[in-house]
Amino acid sequence: MEPIEWVALLAKRIGYKRLIRWGTMGATAFLLVLLLGVPLILGGVASIGGNEKKKDECPTDTSESAKNAAAGPARTISLKDPETKRNVVIITARAIRAGLGKKGAIVAVATSGVETGGRIHSLDYGDRDSQGLFQQRPSVGWGSVAQIRNPVTSADAFFGVAKHTKNRGLKDIKGWEKMRVTDAAQAVQASATPFAYQEWASTAEKAVNDVWNEANSDPLSKKDSNSDSSSSSSTSGEANAQTVANDCLPGGDVKISGSMKQLLKSWAHPDYKYGRLEQTRGYAAMIAQAKKEGSYTGSPNRVPLGDDCGVFVTHLVVRSGWDKNFNSGGKPTNGAGGTWVIRPWMEKHWQKLPPAKTLKLSDMRPGDVGIMQGHVWIYVGPVDGMKGVWAEASERGSHGPGFAPMFNNSKRILYSDNPTTVYYRKK
């Protein structure tokens, strides 16, 4: 049936007048909906928007802390790691010296957090030739490898106050003080991940606040402290010979070979001190002898005088007779090298121990060697007059006599929190 027929039939049933009245009432209701309903709906939406606006108009915390706390996923910088804490102190002290204050330190620490995965260690590796606390590159003018690996000079370069680079630093960025941490950091770093730095802003601020008093009293924060110390370092063999001849160097009897404990008493400082550079007479004499013999003394391109953590462990193991073949006998002509060579050598010739996180101190035996990305050390057990059961060469040091062996009195498995740490034992 057609619609018009339905209308006619309905009109017959109820009458034309009633049909017209119903139609008028329906049309009126429809018009009321159009006239009143739409404004009511729009008014409701406007009301919701208005409430949000009022919320925005409420007083808010616009402090640096509030901005940093709202940055996104929280990251972690642990000051329980001695190297991490010392580098945060150095960065903060250099920010103070440069006149960039707490905000400058926060920007720098957040940047280093991103670039080192929260370790705040001066890494000897990275993308292409990137290295150090800020993953600066020698190939793009940030300085020599030694200057980039040095926490003091690399921080100065980041802040734009170093003498060894003309690259733009934080101090050269107009209005950086009012920028978000991530924007200020990105203006220096030109990173492929420009927003990552903000995720570290909150934890960087906490770290800087925690070390602020210590950094303020640190000599590195003073105006008369050397801002480009690595530029004047000597790398000559003659300088090392002078070091050996210096009777003021610490240490007892000079020993080039002997038992492991005898060598340690001659070569190592009895206690741990971060970034220690001054070698004992015994160790300096051994290094001089090793150079004459053509034995492994590290890469002069990495450390001015070559000797580093790998050199210390290699010569201790070889010269004590514990394993005369360790690291190819310490002979570069046979393939001796740094940690990148020592690890595969031990993987092939020694026994790999269970994961470091599962080990206990009671599981260790004298002569066990630990290694992680860029660092190697040895468990030696108790030694008379020494404070600790671990021996390692200072992880940091880019000028002066070179890296200095010392004891570490850690009561737990050393560097077990580093995912790259592995322990090996002589078979």
Side-chain angles (χ1 to χ4, degrees):
M1 183 179 292
E2 297 295 329
I4 190 65
E5 293 176 330
W6 279 107
V7 174
L9 180 60
L10 185 61
K12 287 182 179 181
R13 296 275 185 127
I14 65 173
Y16 284 103
K17 290 183 179 180
R18 186 175 295 176
L19 180 61
I20 293 170
R21 187 165 62 251
W22 283 9
T24 302
M25 290 172 62
T28 302
F30 179 71
L31 289 173
L32 286 172
V33 170
L34 287 178
L35 295 173
L36 299 178
V38 172
L40 285 173
I41 293 172
L42 292 177
V45 173
S47 175
I48 294 172
N51 288 339
E52 288 186 348
K53 185 174 181 180
K54 287 179 181 179
K55 182 178 179 180
D56 289 341
E57 289 171 351
C58 292
T60 57
D61 186 354
T62 58
S63 67
E64 195 68 32
S65 299
K67 293 176 184 177
N68 294 340
R75 305 293 182 173
T76 301
I77 295 172
S78 175
L79 298 183
K80 293 181 180 179
D81 180 341
E83 182 175 354
T84 299
K85 182 178 180 180
R86 182 55 189 159
N87 284 334
V88 172
V89 170
I90 289 173
I91 291 171
T92 304
R94 300 313 280 183
I96 294 170
R97 183 186 185 280
L100 302 177
K102 190 172 287 188
K103 174 68 178 286
I106 292 169
V107 172
V109 172
T111 301
S112 188
V114 171
E115 304 297 353
T116 66
R119 294 175 64 194
I120 322 294
H121 286 197
S122 185
L123 305 181
D124 63 354
Y125 59 91
D127 178 45
R128 289 168 285 188
D129 60 336
S130 300
Q131 297 188 49
L133 289 172
F134 303 98
Q135 289 292 281
Q136 294 159 335
R137 299 178 59 194
S139 62
V140 295
W142 282 106
S144 67
V145 171
Q147 289 164 333
I148 288 172
R149 292 289 309 283
N150 184 328
V152 174
T153 49
S154 64
D156 285 353
F158 179 85
F159 292 132
V161 296
K163 298 176 182 178
H164 66 267
T165 178
K166 294 182 179 179
N167 287 6
R168 186 172 72 162
L170 188 63
K171 206 165 188 176
D172 302 312
I173 309 301
K174 186 177 180 180
W176 71 268
E177 302 94 333
K178 297 180 180 179
M179 294 180 180
R180 292 187 306 162
V181 167
T182 196
D183 296 329
Q186 176 63 7
V188 177
Q189 297 294 95
S191 169
T193 54
F195 305 110
Y197 304 109
Q198 197 66 28
E199 295 178 3
W200 291 85
S202 182
T203 189
E205 181 182 15
K206 183 179 185 305
V208 169
N209 284 334
D210 287 345
V211 305
W212 184 254
N213 290 338
E214 182 178 347
N216 257 309
S217 60
D218 194 291
L220 290 174
S221 68
K222 310 309 177 188
K223 282 293 182 182
D224 58 351
S225 63
N226 186 8
S227 64
D228 201 15
S229 56
S230 68
S231 63
S232 60
S233 63
S234 172
T235 63
S236 67
E238 289 75 17
N240 198 43
Q242 292 172 5
T243 299
V244 176
N246 187 353
D247 291 333
C248 293
L249 284 176
D253 295 336
V254 172
K255 290 186 179 295
I256 304 301
S257 61
S259 71
M260 189 174 290
K261 290 189 177 182
Q262 286 176 331
L263 293 181
L264 285 167
K265 287 183 178 181
S266 174
W267 293 1
H269 291 274
D271 57 352
Y272 181 88
K273 180 180 179 183
Y274 171 83
R276 178 177 264 147
L277 299 175
E278 187 181 33
Q279 297 172 348
T280 64
R281 285 179 292 166
Y283 190 67
M286 186 280 292
I287 291 297
Q289 181 65 29
K291 290 180 183 292
K292 290 180 181 179
E293 296 171 348
S295 297
Y296 176 63
T297 54
S299 170
N301 294 327
R302 291 185 61 250
V303 186
L305 293 184
D307 41 309
D308 55 19
C309 57
V311 173
F312 166 62
V313 172
T314 295
H315 286 282
L316 181 64
V317 172
V318 172
R319 292 176 183 269
S320 68
W322 178 241
D323 189 338
K324 292 185 177 181
N325 296 315
F326 185 83
N327 192 14
S328 301
K331 301 294 184 182
T333 52
N334 295 336
T339 53
W340 62 94
V341 173
I342 295 173
R343 184 192 289 265
W345 188 94
M346 291 194 295
E347 190 74 27
K348 183 177 180 180
H349 299 286
W350 281 22
Q351 173 190 351
K352 186 176 182 179
L353 299 184
K357 284 190 175 181
T358 68
L359 292 173
K360 299 177 181 178
L361 206 58
S362 58
D363 296 324
M364 306 307 294
R365 298 178 188 173
D368 289 347
V369 172
I371 191 167
M372 66 182 183
Q373 185 76 45
H375 190 47
V376 63
W377 60 96
I378 187 168
Y379 177 83
V380 295
V383 178
D384 290 343
M386 302 297 180
K387 300 177 181 178
V389 293
W390 307 93
E392 60 181 331
S394 175
E395 288 187 80
R396 298 275 84 78
S398 57
H399 63 282
F403 284 23
M406 65 185 116
F407 271 71
N408 189 316
N409 64 354
S410 175
K411 299 297 188 294
R412 61 185 181 86
I413 297 297
L414 210 56
Y415 305 114
S416 60
D417 56 347
N418 188 297
T420 68
T421 293
V422 182
Y423 279 87
Y424 294 88
R425 175 172 295 162
K426 178 186 173 183
K427 291 181 180 179

